Amino acid sequence: MAHDVRDPSPDFLAFWRERLVCTLTTLRPDGSPHVVPVGVTYDPEAGLARVITSKNSTKVANILAAGPDGARVAVCQVKKRHWATLEGRATVRTEPEVVADAVSRYAERYERTPAPNPDRVVIEIALERALGRG
Protein backbone atom coordinates (compact mmCIF):
# COMPACT_ATOMS: atom_id res chain seq x y z
CA MET A 1 0.00 0.00 0.00
CA ALA A 2 1.39 3.43 -0.96
CA HIS A 3 1.57 6.29 1.53
CA ASP A 4 2.16 10.01 1.09
CA VAL A 5 5.83 10.60 2.00
CA ARG A 6 5.10 14.07 3.42
CA ASP A 7 1.68 13.34 4.91
CA PRO A 8 1.70 9.76 6.19
CA SER A 9 -1.20 8.25 8.07
CA PRO A 10 -0.91 8.41 11.87
CA ASP A 11 -0.43 4.62 12.02
CA PHE A 12 2.34 4.65 9.41
CA LEU A 13 4.13 7.47 11.21
CA ALA A 14 3.71 5.78 14.61
CA PHE A 15 5.28 2.63 13.16
CA TRP A 16 8.32 4.67 12.08
CA ARG A 17 8.60 6.02 15.65
CA GLU A 18 8.87 2.54 17.20
CA ARG A 19 12.29 1.36 18.33
CA LEU A 20 12.94 -1.08 15.48
CA VAL A 21 16.04 -2.10 13.59
CA CYS A 22 15.79 -1.36 9.89
CA THR A 23 17.69 -2.36 6.78
CA LEU A 24 19.33 -0.07 4.25
CA THR A 25 19.80 -1.33 0.72
CA THR A 26 22.41 0.35 -1.47
CA LEU A 27 23.82 -0.82 -4.79
CA ARG A 28 27.46 -1.72 -5.21
CA PRO A 29 29.23 -0.35 -8.30
CA ASP A 30 28.62 -3.73 -10.01
CA GLY A 31 24.87 -3.31 -9.42
CA SER A 32 24.52 -6.01 -6.77
CA PRO A 33 22.58 -5.11 -3.60
CA HIS A 34 24.28 -4.43 -0.27
CA VAL A 35 21.82 -4.79 2.63
CA VAL A 36 22.78 -3.89 6.19
CA PRO A 37 20.99 -3.33 9.50
CA VAL A 38 20.75 0.33 10.53
CA GLY A 39 18.83 2.77 12.66
CA VAL A 40 16.65 5.11 10.60
CA THR A 41 14.78 8.28 11.43
CA TYR A 42 11.90 9.51 9.32
CA ASP A 43 11.11 13.23 8.97
CA PRO A 44 7.96 13.59 6.85
CA GLU A 45 7.91 17.40 7.15
CA ALA A 46 11.28 17.57 5.38
CA GLY A 47 10.61 14.52 3.20
CA LEU A 48 13.80 12.88 4.54
CA ALA A 49 15.03 9.72 6.19
CA ARG A 50 18.41 9.75 7.93
CA VAL A 51 20.98 7.11 8.83
CA ILE A 52 24.05 7.89 10.94
CA THR A 53 27.18 5.88 10.14
CA SER A 54 30.94 6.01 9.77
CA LYS A 55 32.39 7.73 6.71
CA ASN A 56 34.45 4.58 5.99
CA SER A 57 31.46 2.22 5.70
CA THR A 58 30.62 0.26 2.56
CA LYS A 59 27.18 1.88 2.42
CA VAL A 60 28.78 5.34 2.25
CA ALA A 61 31.23 4.15 -0.43
CA ASN A 62 28.33 2.78 -2.49
CA ILE A 63 26.44 6.08 -2.28
CA LEU A 64 29.50 8.16 -3.14
CA ALA A 65 30.29 5.87 -6.08
CA ALA A 66 26.91 6.76 -7.60
CA GLY A 67 28.08 10.33 -8.21
CA PRO A 68 27.00 13.81 -7.14
CA ASP A 69 23.28 13.18 -7.72
CA GLY A 70 23.32 10.46 -5.08
CA ALA A 71 22.20 6.85 -5.14
CA ARG A 72 18.81 5.17 -5.21
CA VAL A 73 18.29 3.39 -1.89
CA ALA A 74 15.59 1.85 0.27
CA VAL A 75 15.15 1.50 4.01
CA CYS A 76 12.76 -1.06 5.42
CA GLN A 77 11.50 -2.26 8.77
CA VAL A 78 9.39 -5.25 9.75
CA LYS A 79 7.49 -6.22 12.89
CA LYS A 80 5.43 -9.39 12.65
CA ARG A 81 2.97 -8.75 9.79
CA HIS A 82 3.66 -4.99 9.69
CA TRP A 83 6.24 -3.60 7.28
CA ALA A 84 7.22 -0.21 5.88
CA THR A 85 9.66 0.85 3.19
CA LEU A 86 10.94 4.32 2.33
CA GLU A 87 12.64 4.81 -1.03
CA GLY A 88 14.58 7.73 -2.41
CA ARG A 89 17.88 9.25 -3.40
CA ALA A 90 20.68 9.21 -0.82
CA THR A 91 23.54 11.63 -0.40
CA VAL A 92 26.22 11.82 2.27
CA ARG A 93 26.24 14.85 4.57
CA THR A 94 29.23 15.81 6.71
CA GLU A 95 28.32 19.25 8.11
CA PRO A 96 28.63 19.20 11.92
CA GLU A 97 25.17 20.71 12.46
CA VAL A 98 23.55 18.15 10.13
CA VAL A 99 25.34 15.30 11.90
CA ALA A 100 24.35 16.65 15.34
CA ASP A 101 20.70 16.94 14.27
CA ALA A 102 20.70 13.37 12.94
CA VAL A 103 22.30 12.06 16.15
CA SER A 104 19.63 13.86 18.18
CA ARG A 105 16.86 12.33 16.09
CA TYR A 106 18.44 8.89 16.43
CA ALA A 107 18.72 9.31 20.22
CA GLU A 108 15.03 10.21 20.40
CA ARG A 109 13.82 7.23 18.36
CA TYR A 110 16.18 4.63 19.79
CA GLU A 111 16.24 5.96 23.35
CA ARG A 112 20.03 6.05 23.52
CA THR A 113 22.72 8.49 22.47
CA PRO A 114 25.36 6.85 20.29
CA ALA A 115 28.98 7.04 21.41
CA PRO A 116 30.97 9.94 19.95
CA ASN A 117 32.47 9.16 16.56
CA PRO A 118 34.70 11.72 14.82
CA ASP A 119 34.16 9.84 11.54
CA ARG A 120 30.34 10.03 11.76
CA VAL A 121 28.40 11.18 8.70
CA VAL A 122 24.74 11.19 7.76
CA ILE A 123 23.16 9.34 4.90
CA GLU A 124 20.31 11.66 4.00
CA ILE A 125 17.59 10.17 1.83
CA ALA A 126 15.34 12.51 -0.15
CA LEU A 127 12.19 10.43 -0.11
CA GLU A 128 10.24 9.65 -3.25
CA ARG A 129 8.05 6.73 -2.18
CA ALA A 130 6.60 5.23 0.99
CA LEU A 131 5.07 1.78 1.09
CA GLY A 132 3.75 -0.30 3.91
CA ARG A 133 1.24 -2.72 5.28
CA GLY A 134 -0.04 -3.27 8.71
Side-chain angles (χ1 to χ4, degrees):
M1 169 183 226
H3 297 268
D4 186 331
V5 168
R6 289 189 175 262
D7 188 23
S9 71
D11 288 343
F12 188 77
L13 185 57
F15 187 52
W16 277 102
R17 301 278 190 249
E18 290 185 39
R19 188 177 179 214
L20 298 171
V21 174
C22 305
T23 60
L24 169 68
T25 302
T26 61
L27 297 178
R28 296 180 181 99
D30 70 2
S32 63
H34 174 71
V35 183
V36 294
V38 294
V40 176
T41 60
Y42 173 31
D43 180 358
E45 289 181 10
L48 297 173
R50 296 175 182 89
V51 175
I52 57 174
T53 190
S54 177
K55 69 181 179 182
N56 300 314
S57 68
T58 299
K59 54 192 162 290
V60 166
N62 290 342
I63 292 165
L64 293 175
D69 292 335
R72 305 262 321 147
V73 302
V75 290
C76 183
Q77 64 182 22
V78 177
K79 179 181 175 186
K80 296 185 180 182
R81 67 178 185 88
H82 303 278
W83 63 272
T85 299
L86 301 171
E87 299 175 4
R89 189 160 298 275
T91 55
V92 177
R93 303 286 302 268
T94 59
E95 304 91 333
E97 66 278 4
V98 173
V99 173
D101 178 62
V103 167
S104 175
R105 291 170 186 275
Y106 176 96
E108 182 179 335
R109 179 175 186 193
Y110 291 98
E111 301 173 350
R112 73 172 196 85
T113 300
N117 177 357
D119 292 332
R120 182 169 287 132
V121 297
V122 178
I123 296 172
E124 191 174 82
I125 305 164
L127 298 174
E128 300 167 354
R129 183 176 301 146
L131 304 167
R133 181 170 173 220

